[in-house]
Amino acid sequence: MSDSTVPSAPRASGAPGEPSAPRASGAPGEPGTPAARPAPYPPGVPPVSDVPGTAPGDAPRATHASGLQPTAPLPPVTRPTAPTAPRAPRSIYVPRPGVVAWSILSVLAAALFAVSVPLNAGIYGVPVAAAFLLGVLQCGSILLAVQLPKAAIVTSLIPVVAVPLLAQAVDAPWPWPVAGLIAQCAVLVVIGLRNPWRLSAVAWALSVAASVVVSVAHVDHLGGAITSIILFASISAPLLALAVLLAQRENAREQLHHERQLTAAEQGRRELVEERNRIARELHDVVAHSMSVIQVQATTAPYRLPGMDAATTAEFTDIAASARAAMREMRRLLGVLREDDTSGELAPQPQLSAVPELATSARRAGVPVSLEIENGLTDGTAQVPETTAVAAYRIVQEALSNVIRHAPQAPTAVRIERAADATLGAALHLTIANDAASRSTVAPGVGSDTPPLAATDSGGHGLLGMRERAALLGGHIRFGSTDAGGYTVEAWLPLDAAGIQTAATHPADTASDAESEPS
């Protein structure tokens, strides 16, 4: 065995250098018999100390020949800590100016009360009960002057008169004690900051006059009284003047802010008027001129083009009449835009009784229209609110215009009736449905290149206008293409005046409801 071999059996004490044989195990429980110990290494595997990777000079590590090495202790297990969210910065409380002013005045009143009571009772000889009462009146006047300036003037003058009359000794400043002089100056400053200068001047004059009157109570100390009165006047007058100047400066700032608001409102109104005038000029220059040309050409066509048959002449006559009606509407619209008020909106508006004229005009344009109106809606028997009638007329007008533009000569059915709605209750139900237009009947440039309206199409001004008219009344509208290729517009408008008034009060809510209505 090599010198570096670790002995596998323990050595017993014996002769020096002589190996000792292991003792045989005796009977169980026999004294002196050592317990059986497990072999430190597997049988037949000699321990080696030449461990690869051991630096020279290092203490040898016992290693089995099989390559097994003692396991090193594992490092302690640490749980990963979740990242903590950064704390939100604490909001700094900024007190309002009114709270700060009340706090300052309260502290000043409390400090003066703590000084004036012992001063009046100990030095001037005022009875203790009276000193407490006069201290409350004198210091409380500072806080009272914030809301009730006239009452504060009266309560502050009571101590000015009572302290000299109740005083037993006049060795101290007379007739104005130091605490009383500071309290009265504070009352005058508060009155000057929150009231007109006339009331402040009256308060100062009454304070000086009261001190002059009570000074005659002790004629032998009249010289000291005059000095004290002069001192009070010289201190309180500049303070009161400064308070009045600050108050007037604040009033001037408020008036300036108010004038700026009025100027901004007037500027906005002027810009609105200018924008209306600009729109009116553009409409006059572009639309009105074109309509005038159309009207003149249609009117003079039978004279300029002889030999026309009666049907063609009637067609040109209808075109001229429509152009004149459009020009009247345009003239009324221009008048509304040019007016600063909305008096032009009070002009008579079309009602349900004019719907048959719309159907007649559509038939003349080549659209076969079948009209069905419930009895009582056009002759005034049924009570239909005026706003509902106007909205119904405009919706039918726009729907028929869309049919003429996008589906010419398509059979169209218009139905107006009263119906019950789950949301509105009694409602006016409008239905405008047209069939699909034949491609052979579509006029070139009118519907041949125009895609059919989709169910979700709401970008056109006509459809948007119909939706807004219904929403402003609290009603709702639904439009979209049918499976057969046609198009249907259905609208429900309230017949109850209370529902219309509620919708007018909350137009934003009704508009949002209309936007959420499935199209």
Side-chain angles (χ1 to χ4, degrees):
M1 183 178 294
S2 173
D3 295 338
S4 62
T5 302
V6 179
S8 60
R11 300 176 59 90
S13 59
E18 182 180 353
S20 174
R23 297 180 58 182
S25 59
E30 180 181 354
T33 303
R37 298 175 60 186
Y41 303 105
V45 179
V48 295
S49 59
D50 298 330
V51 181
T54 304
D58 292 347
R61 294 185 298 170
T63 306
H64 292 283
S66 61
L68 300 176
Q69 298 183 6
T71 304
L74 296 176
V77 179
T78 58
R79 293 183 177 181
T81 58
T84 58
R87 287 185 176 182
R90 294 181 178 179
S91 59
I92 301 176
Y93 172 72
V94 179
R96 293 179 297 179
V99 176
V100 175
W102 275 103
S103 302
I104 294 175
L105 294 179
S106 300
V107 172
L108 178 61
L112 291 176
F113 179 79
V115 174
S116 64
V117 172
L119 181 64
N120 294 335
I123 298 179
Y124 289 92
V126 178
V128 177
F132 271 95
L133 179 60
L134 296 176
V136 171
L137 292 176
Q138 192 171 47
C139 300
S141 301
I142 301 176
L143 303 178
L144 190 62
V146 178
Q147 299 293 338
L148 301 174
K150 296 181 180 179
I153 294 175
V154 175
T155 55
S156 64
L157 292 178
I158 294 176
V160 174
V161 177
V163 170
L165 296 179
L166 298 177
Q168 303 297 327
V170 291
D171 296 335
W174 177 268
W176 283 101
V178 177
L181 187 147
I182 297 175
Q184 193 65 17
C185 290
V187 172
L188 294 175
V189 168
V190 174
I191 293 176
L193 288 174
R194 297 183 58 85
N195 297 275
W197 65 271
R198 293 183 179 86
L199 183 62
S200 305
V202 170
W204 180 83
L206 290 177
S207 301
V208 175
S211 60
V212 172
V213 170
V214 298
S215 62
V216 299
H218 297 272
V219 183
D220 50 345
H221 295 82
L222 188 58
I226 294 176
T227 304
S228 180
I229 294 172
I230 294 175
L231 178 63
F232 167 76
S234 61
I235 294 177
S236 60
L239 292 177
L240 181 60
L242 179 61
V244 170
L245 292 177
L246 292 177
Q248 291 182 351
R249 179 177 179 272
E250 187 65 24
N251 291 336
R253 180 183 299 178
E254 292 180 358
Q255 292 179 0
L256 179 60
H257 179 68
H258 182 66
E259 291 296 331
R260 287 177 178 175
Q261 289 181 340
L262 293 179
T263 303
E266 183 65 24
Q267 180 68 21
R269 180 174 172 272
R270 187 183 302 110
E271 292 177 356
L272 178 60
V273 172
E274 292 176 357
E275 183 67 16
R276 284 182 173 183
N277 292 333
R278 185 185 65 82
I279 296 174
R281 287 192 301 269
E282 291 180 357
L283 288 175
H284 179 271
D285 296 340
V286 178
V287 181
H289 175 71
S290 300
M291 295 302 299
S292 300
V293 172
I294 293 173
Q295 191 269 338
V296 171
Q297 290 179 346
T299 303
T300 60
Y303 305 99
R304 294 182 294 101
L305 304 174
M308 292 190 301
D309 55 2
T312 305
T313 303
E315 185 72 20
F316 276 108
T317 303
D318 293 340
I319 293 175
S322 299
R324 285 192 295 269
M327 290 178 64
R328 286 194 298 267
E329 291 288 336
M330 181 63 65
R331 190 177 298 109
R332 186 178 65 86
L333 178 60
L334 294 179
V336 171
L337 291 175
R338 286 196 175 105
E339 291 293 333
D340 294 343
D341 54 9
T342 57
S343 58
E345 299 178 358
L346 302 179
Q349 298 290 334
Q351 301 294 322
L352 290 177
S353 58
V355 172
E357 299 179 2
L358 294 176
T360 303
S361 300
R363 294 189 190 101
R364 292 173 180 173
V367 177
V369 177
S370 61
L371 178 61
E372 184 178 353
I373 303 179
E374 183 179 343
N375 294 331
L377 292 179
T378 57
D379 56 4
T381 305
Q383 297 294 332
V384 180
E386 183 178 357
T387 53
T388 300
V390 173
Y393 177 88
R394 294 303 184 188
I395 290 175
V396 174
Q397 183 184 35
E398 183 61 34
L400 291 178
S401 299
N402 288 338
V403 173
I404 295 173
R405 288 194 301 267
H406 300 284
Q409 299 184 8
T412 304
V414 178
R415 181 179 178 84
I416 303 176
E417 60 184 350
R418 288 175 292 184
D421 184 73
T423 305
L424 304 176
L428 186 66
H429 183 208
L430 309 177
T431 304
I432 304 95
N434 64 276
D435 298 339
S438 176
R439 303 298 295 180
S440 60
T441 60
V442 176
V446 175
S448 58
D449 298 332
T450 304
L453 294 177
T456 58
D457 182 11
S458 61
H461 295 288
L463 298 178
L464 182 60
M466 289 190 290
R467 171 172 288 178
E468 289 179 351
R469 288 183 182 275
L472 288 176
L473 296 179
H476 50 91
I477 192 170
R478 181 176 58 192
F479 43 77
S481 57
T482 61
D483 297 336
Y487 204 84
T488 301
V489 176
E490 283 188 282
W492 290 264
L493 305 177
L495 289 175
D496 185 10
I500 297 176
Q501 184 177 4
T502 304
T505 307
H506 306 283
D509 299 339
T510 56
S512 62
D513 295 340
E515 289 298 332
S516 61
E517 182 73 22
S519 58

